[in-house]
C-alpha cells in the first residue's frame, strides 16, 4: 500500500508549476535532441549514449554529488542529539519517515535537503547554523527543508536542471569534437550543425529561467508549509533575519564556495538587490519571505 501524504499543507500552485516546468523542459529536451539528430545523423549513437548516460547520472547521483560537494557528513543521534531530536519532532508533526541527518563543517549559516524521494532524503545543517540559532529557530529552518522532501520539489529541480547541463556539454562537443570536419559549407545539415552552439545557448537560457522561477516559488512554498506545520512563523522569520544578517560577516571567499549550491540552500550566499539580479536569483527577497510569514502569523492569531 502506498504511504499516505504527510501533514505538510499541500500547495497546488507548487504542483502546477512543477508540472508546467517539467513539461516545458521536456519539450525543450525533445526539440534539442531532434536538432542534434538531424544535424549529426552519422553520430546519433553517440548522442543517445551521452544524453541517456547523463540523464541517468543526473537523476541517480546528483543528490549525492551535491551533498558531497557541500561537505555533508551523516551523523548519528549520539553524535548530534539536538539535531536528531529536532528532526524527530518534525517527522512526528508531519507524519513522515525520518531522513538521513547530516552536518556540514562550514561557518556559513545554512541548511539544505537532497534526495529523489523520502527514502533517499538527506537533511543537512551547517555548524555555523547550529551554533547561531535558538532551538525554535532551528526547528523552523529544518521544517522548511523537510517540506522540500514532502513536496518532492528537490527531485523536480534536479531533473529540470539536467537540460541546461546537457546543452553546455553538447555545445563543447560540437565545437571541439570534430563533428563538422566532413560537412560541406553548402550542406543544410552543415549549416544546422553550425547553429548548434546558438541553439544550445537558447535552450540553456530558457531552462535556466524556468528553474529559477520554480526555485523562487518553491522557497516561498517551503516557508509557508513550515510555518503552518510548526505553528510558529515568527520563529522562522527570526531565523531568516538572523541568517541573512550573519551572511554579511562571512568571508567572501567562503560565500563564493557556497554560491554554486544556492538553489539547494535555505538562504542564498549572495542576495540579489537589483531587479535584474532578482530575475536570476534562486530565492525570493528577504522582504518577500518575511512579509509572507507576517501574513501567516496574523491569520494564525485570529
Amino acid at each position: 500500500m502506498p504511504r499516505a501524504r504527510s501533514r505538510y499543507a499541500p500547495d497546488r500552485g507548487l504542483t502546477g508549476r512543477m508540472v508546467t516546468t517539467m513539461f516545458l523542459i521536456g519539450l525543450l529536451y525533445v526539440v534539442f535532441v531532434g536538432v542534434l539528430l538531424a544535424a549529426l545523423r552519422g553520430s546519433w549513437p553517440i548522442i543517445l549514449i551521452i544524453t541517456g548516460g547523463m540523464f541517468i547520472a543526473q537523476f541517480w547521483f546528483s543528490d549525492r554529488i551535491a551533498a558531497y560537494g557541500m561537505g555533508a557528513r551523516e551523523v548519528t543521534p549520539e553524535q548530534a542529539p539536538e539535531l536528531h531530536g529536532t528532526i524527530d519532532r518534525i517527522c512526528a508533526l508531519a507524519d513522515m519517515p525520518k531522513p538521513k541527518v547530516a552536518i556540514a563543517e562550514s561557518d556559513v549559516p545554512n541548511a539544505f535537503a537532497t534526495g529523489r524521494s523520502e527514502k533517499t532524503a538527506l537533511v543537512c545543517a551547517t555548524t555555523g547554523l547550529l551554533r547561531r540559532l535558538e532551538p525554535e529557530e532551528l526547528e523552523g529552518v529544518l521544517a522548511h527543508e523537510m517540506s522540500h522532501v514532502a513536496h518532492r520539489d528537490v527531485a523536480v529541480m534536479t531533473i529540470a536542471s539536467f537540460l541546461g547541463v546537457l546543452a553546455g556539454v553538447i555545445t563543447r562537443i560540437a565545437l571541439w569534437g570534430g563533428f563538422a570536419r566532413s560537412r560541406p559549407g553548402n550542406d543544410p545539415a552543415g549549416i544546422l550543425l553550425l547553429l548548434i552552439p546558438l541553439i544550445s545557448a537558447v535552450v540553456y537560457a530558457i531552462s535556466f529561467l524556468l528553474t529559477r522561477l520554480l526555485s523562487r516559488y518553491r522557497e516561498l512554498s517551503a516557508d509557508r508549509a513550515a510555518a503552518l506545520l510548526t505553528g510558529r512563523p515568527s520563529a522562522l522569520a527570526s531565523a531568516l533575519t538572523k541568517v541573512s544578517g550573519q551572511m554579511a560577516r562571512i568571508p567572501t571567499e567562503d560565500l563564493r564556495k557556497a554560491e554554486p549550491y544556492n538553489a539547494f540552500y535555505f538562504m542564498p550566499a549572495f542576495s540579489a538587490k537589483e531587479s535584474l539580479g532578482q530575475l536570476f536569483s534562486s530565492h525570493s527577497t528577504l522582504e518577500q519571505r518575511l512579509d509572507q510569514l507576517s501574513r501567516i502569523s496574523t491569520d494564525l492569531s485570529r
Side-chain angles (χ1 to χ4, degrees):
M1 293 290 291
R3 229 184 61 81
R5 286 183 177 181
S6 74
R7 295 196 185 107
Y8 273 104
D11 191 325
R12 293 181 180 177
L14 177 62
T15 301
R17 283 168 172 80
M18 288 194 296
V19 171
T20 302
T21 299
M22 290 304 296
F23 173 77
L24 293 175
I25 289 288
L27 187 61
L28 277 174
Y29 177 77
V30 171
V31 172
F32 185 54
V33 173
V35 170
L36 290 176
L37 290 174
L40 309 172
R41 284 171 293 184
S43 305
W44 67 265
I46 298 176
I47 296 172
L48 294 180
I49 291 172
I50 291 174
T51 55
M54 286 193 64
F55 181 82
I56 293 172
Q58 182 82 358
F59 183 76
W60 289 100
F61 303 115
S62 60
D63 55 343
R64 278 172 274 182
I65 293 171
Y68 176 80
M70 289 182 277
R73 174 179 57 86
E74 194 171 346
V75 292
T76 64
E78 292 73 27
Q79 293 171 318
E82 293 182 4
L83 179 58
H84 271 271
T86 303
I87 294 290
D88 286 336
R89 287 195 299 275
I90 296 169
C91 290
L93 279 173
D95 189 24
M96 288 176 62
K98 187 175 180 180
K100 298 174 185 175
V101 180
I103 291 177
E105 295 289 338
S106 172
D107 194 44
V108 179
N110 235 317
F112 62 89
T114 65
R116 303 182 310 278
S117 64
E118 291 182 352
K119 292 182 179 179
T120 61
L122 177 144
V123 174
C124 179
T126 65
T127 52
L129 186 80
L130 296 174
R131 187 170 63 253
R132 290 176 171 91
L133 296 190
E134 298 298 325
E136 63 273 11
E137 295 171 336
L138 179 63
E139 183 179 68
V141 172
L142 295 177
H144 168 107
E145 295 303 327
M146 289 284 288
S147 77
H148 287 314
V149 177
H151 291 149
R152 294 181 172 85
D153 54 81
V154 172
V156 172
M157 283 294 294
T158 297
I159 298 172
S161 64
F162 164 71
L163 186 58
V165 175
L166 176 64
V169 171
I170 295 298
T171 300
R172 288 193 291 271
I173 292 174
L175 289 175
W176 302 315
F179 284 132
R181 283 179 297 189
S182 61
R183 298 284 187 184
N186 58 354
D187 185 354
I191 296 173
L192 189 59
L193 183 62
L194 294 176
L195 291 176
I196 286 179
L198 176 61
I199 294 170
S200 298
V202 171
V203 167
Y204 175 79
I206 295 174
S207 62
F208 180 85
L209 289 174
L210 286 172
T211 53
R212 282 298 183 269
L213 287 170
L214 175 60
S215 180
R216 287 196 294 275
Y217 185 89
R218 83 186 188 108
E219 292 301 329
L220 286 173
S221 175
D223 285 347
R224 182 166 54 250
L228 293 174
L229 181 74
T230 62
R232 288 199 293 264
S234 59
L236 181 55
S238 176
L240 278 165
T241 304
K242 187 179 291 186
V243 169
S244 178
Q246 289 293 316
M247 284 293 184
R249 303 182 182 182
I250 304 299
T252 302
E253 182 180 353
D254 293 340
L255 293 178
R256 291 292 181 194
K257 292 178 181 177
E259 190 175 17
Y261 303 102
N262 269 351
F264 288 94
Y265 280 133
F266 167 71
M267 177 70 72
F270 293 99
S271 298
K273 302 198 179 292
E274 300 83 6
S275 57
L276 183 60
Q278 291 172 16
L279 177 65
F280 302 110
S281 176
S282 59
H283 292 62
S284 297
T285 64
L286 176 64
E287 290 74 19
Q288 289 172 321
R289 298 175 76 175
L290 293 178
D291 183 61
Q292 175 183 245
L293 291 172
S294 177
R295 292 197 303 271
I296 294 173
S297 182
T298 300
D299 291 341
L300 291 177
S301 65
R302 289 174 181 171

